[in-house]
Structure formats: structure tokens, C-alpha cells
Amino acid sequence: MYGLEIFPVEGGKPYRLTRDTQILCYLTSYQIGPEDWPHYRQPKKTRSKVIHEAMGYEAFAIPRVASVYMAVNDYAYFQGITHIRMEGPVLRYEYVYDNVQVQDPQMAKRANMVVDIYGIPLPDNTKPTYGVEWYGAFQGFRSAITRNTQMTYCVFRQKIHLEGGRYWSLPTTLPHLDKCVVFYHATNLQAEVSYLAHKKQLYSSAQTDIYVCVFVSGMVLTPKRRWGLSLYSEDGTLVFNTDYLPFTRGQSMALLLREGSVETPYSLPLVCATSQFVNASYQDDNIDWAKRNTGIRFRGKQIFVSERIRDAHRQHHVEQRIPFYVLNGSHYF
């Protein structure tokens, strides 16, 4: 097999860039803010947005914060993405809405959902540029690292251990912690793992080991070794370096809660952590109330999502569609 083998500075598993590798370039981030909050009791809302930075790319939308809470007067409001996709340069998404009671007051301070847009240059993109480009073995795709590329790098990958009912925080020494994208996989089949985006914490319902990968964009790179491959733009900015592993293409998936699980194509699927329904409750009136907590479990290639709801008068499940972005964990572990 031909390609480039990268040995990262942290000493973990090396990675091969081959003709079948597709590196995702960071294009931009889109925030769904307070101006997008619908009126009370409007259960769903559909929106679209032209992402000009996605012109000339096969673009992918990855929710970094897919559900949020916002305090308004004496109420808190919940909003969560249920459908999201890119159609050319157009981002289309749907979200649900409800009023809630939030156990953690810090959660109500988050007023924006965040979607990161990544892309792969289209074969017919003839814009002149410089750098490294390679074509894949199937479907004519190509990957490119050019003077215009904004790379996303893996800055942390580790198997951690977490006791049941405990939290694990991302290291505060990581660069661009406020914009990091977290992927994880739990080894205990019974452990339901959630992510709190506002605290940068993973929570597990049971004792488990968790594979964790953290990616960041916009790093100012300084080569740490005297050997390797570096690419510079015309103004002297370092745009690529083999000290770190790049962010490679995964797969967008979705799951209805009532369906229980979804099959991924990977033996070690790493799921993007998106803060879905963590530790929130909602109240319909003074009598009816419910508490919801969503966790993700793993069994081989399968991903399971559970939503526990306890209600004073009835047991039910919300028809909630959960969007995922899944990476091939065997690339990184």
C-alpha cells in the first residue's frame, strides 16, 4: 500500500494517509442562536442556511453542541437538533423545542447550538492552488492539503477509566478548548455515557473504560521535531505538519430513540459528543412532570441510545431523532 505514514509526537498509534484516506478541511462554524428560538409550544422548526465557505467542497455538518437550554424570566427552554444535512453549500436542519426545568443553572447560560462545517474539495474545483493532492481508489474522490486548507488535528487520544456516576473533565491544557470536538467509545456494554458540553465533561452510569479523541481547528503549529513533513502557505504560515494526526472522514448517521440502536460500519465506532438531553427535566403544568437523561452505549459496531423518562402519571418516550457523526476508531487506537 502506498501513502504517507504519520508518527505523532505523543507516541501513539501511527496513521497512514493512503489513496483511500479522506482528510476533512475545517470550513467554518455556524451558531443557532436566540434569534432562532421558536414561540412557546411550537414543537418543530425547519431552517436552512447557505454556507458560502462550502462552495467547491463536498461539505459535512457535525453538531458540536446539538442541544441547549436558555433561561427566559422564570422559565428555561430546551432546543435540540433532530435532522441535519448539507445539500451542496446549503445547511438544512430541524430542531425540537420545549419548556424545561434545568437542574444545573449553568446549562441555562448556553444560548447557542454550534454546528461545525467541514469539507473535501470537489473534483471539478479548478481554483488554482498549491500543496499536496491525491485521488482515491473509488468514486473519483480526492483529498488535498493546500495553502488555503484549515486543518483539524487530534490533540488528545487516550483510554480513560471512569467509575459509575462520576465525571471526567477534558484536560485544561488542551489548545482551543472552547472549540474542541470530542469523540468517544465506551467498552462496558452496560455503561451509558453522556457529554456535558458547557463543562467539557463525560459522565458514565457504570464503571467503564472510554476511548477519547479530541480534535481542534485553528492551531498555530510549531514543528516539534526536525524530521517530518510540513506545508506552508505563501505568507509563511504553517498549514500542515505531521506532528499530529489529521481529522479524517467518518459517517453521518441518525437514530430514532424508539428503534433502540443503529449499526455503524466500524468495529470501533467513535461517536461525536454533542450534549444530548443531559440531566434535564421538563414540566407541562403543576402536576405533570418528567425527567430525561440520554446516554449512549456501545456493543461492537452498534450504538444504543436510551432516554429515561419518569413521569408522575404516565410512562412514555419522546419521538426524538438523534443525529450522530461517527469516526473509525481503529484509525486512532
Side-chain angles (χ1 to χ4, degrees):
M1 181 177 290
Y2 305 97
L4 174 69
E5 191 165 28
I6 297 177
F7 293 84
V9 290
E10 94 275 359
K13 178 182 176 180
Y15 184 71
R16 289 183 178 180
L17 300 180
T18 71
R19 64 179 184 173
D20 296 327
T21 302
Q22 292 180 282
I23 293 178
L24 293 186
C25 307
Y26 173 77
L27 301 178
T28 189
S29 294
Y30 175 64
Q31 294 196 16
I32 305 171
E35 68 277 6
D36 289 316
W37 289 81
H39 296 293
Y40 175 74
R41 287 301 176 198
Q42 188 173 4
K44 292 183 179 180
K45 194 73 175 179
T46 301
R47 298 278 189 180
S48 63
K49 172 70 174 180
V50 176
I51 307 297
H52 296 285
E53 294 86 348
M55 299 288 187
Y57 290 86
E58 180 185 2
F60 305 87
I62 302 180
R64 186 178 356 130
V65 181
S67 61
V68 294
Y69 304 86
M70 183 177 71
V72 178
N73 298 327
D74 295 330
Y75 293 92
Y77 296 89
F78 163 83
Q79 182 174 328
I81 296 174
T82 58
H83 296 73
I84 186 167
R85 66 188 185 279
M86 292 295 298
E87 294 181 356
V90 180
L91 171 67
R92 301 190 186 279
Y93 59 94
E94 180 180 281
Y95 52 82
V96 294
Y97 162 88
D98 208 337
N99 65 316
V100 299
Q101 288 184 328
V102 180
Q103 294 175 331
D104 185 348
Q106 292 189 47
M107 299 187 75
K109 297 179 182 179
R110 292 204 60 94
N112 293 324
M113 293 186 289
V114 183
V115 179
D116 293 325
I117 310 297
Y118 297 84
I120 297 172
L122 293 172
D124 60 352
N125 184 9
T126 57
K127 182 179 180 180
T129 188
Y130 305 93
V132 175
E133 181 180 89
W134 64 95
Y135 283 82
F138 59 92
Q139 297 179 350
F141 75 77
R142 74 173 184 175
S143 285
I145 303 171
T146 75
R147 63 180 180 180
N148 301 314
T149 299
Q150 295 189 63
M151 295 295 299
T152 299
Y153 291 104
C154 179
V155 296
F156 179 91
R157 54 172 175 160
Q158 187 175 316
K159 181 194 281 188
I160 66 167
H161 182 79
L162 192 56
E163 296 293 334
R166 302 296 294 273
Y167 295 85
W168 177 82
S169 300
L170 297 184
T172 56
T173 55
L174 295 181
H176 299 276
L177 192 61
D178 58 326
K179 298 180 180 179
C180 69
V181 183
V182 181
F183 287 81
Y184 68 90
H185 176 99
T187 59
N188 183 354
L189 307 182
Q190 305 304 317
E192 296 178 348
V193 179
S194 303
Y195 180 66
L196 284 75
H198 67 295
K199 289 185 175 181
K200 302 295 186 296
Q201 290 180 329
L202 287 171
Y203 167 84
S204 180
S205 65
Q207 176 178 303
T208 184
D209 290 332
I210 306 176
Y211 293 95
V212 182
C213 271
V214 181
F215 297 87
V216 299
S217 304
M219 287 179 59
V220 178
L221 293 176
T222 302
K224 302 180 184 301
R225 301 176 295 197
R226 302 179 67 178
W227 55 271
L229 175 65
S230 296
L231 298 176
Y232 293 85
S233 64
E234 290 180 331
D235 63 1
T237 301
L238 180 61
V239 296
F240 176 77
N241 179 261
T242 49
D243 281 351
Y244 299 94
L245 299 186
F247 186 37
T248 55
R249 180 175 181 173
Q251 190 166 92
S252 297
M253 310 189 75
L255 168 68
L256 274 174
L257 288 179
R258 61 180 174 83
E259 294 178 351
S261 68
V262 62
E263 185 88 5
T264 77
Y266 309 126
S267 59
L268 183 65
L270 298 176
V271 169
C272 185
T274 57
S275 189
Q276 290 281 2
F277 305 119
V278 180
N279 293 333
S281 63
Y282 66 84
Q283 182 173 347
D284 292 331
D285 52 43
N286 295 328
I287 299 177
D288 295 334
W289 61 272
K291 179 181 179 180
R292 61 174 66 177
N293 188 327
T294 299
I296 296 178
R297 293 186 294 113
F298 300 85
R299 185 176 65 194
K301 296 183 177 181
Q302 290 181 301
I303 298 172
F304 296 81
V305 176
S306 63
E307 184 177 40
R308 300 175 178 177
I309 297 181
R310 302 182 182 92
D311 194 287
H313 296 283
R314 60 190 184 278
Q315 296 289 332
H316 67 281
H317 287 277
V318 175
E319 286 291 328
Q320 176 63 41
R321 188 176 188 270
I322 306 293
F324 294 109
Y325 197 82
V326 185
L327 293 183
N328 185 352
S330 62
H331 288 171
Y332 300 95
F333 295 99

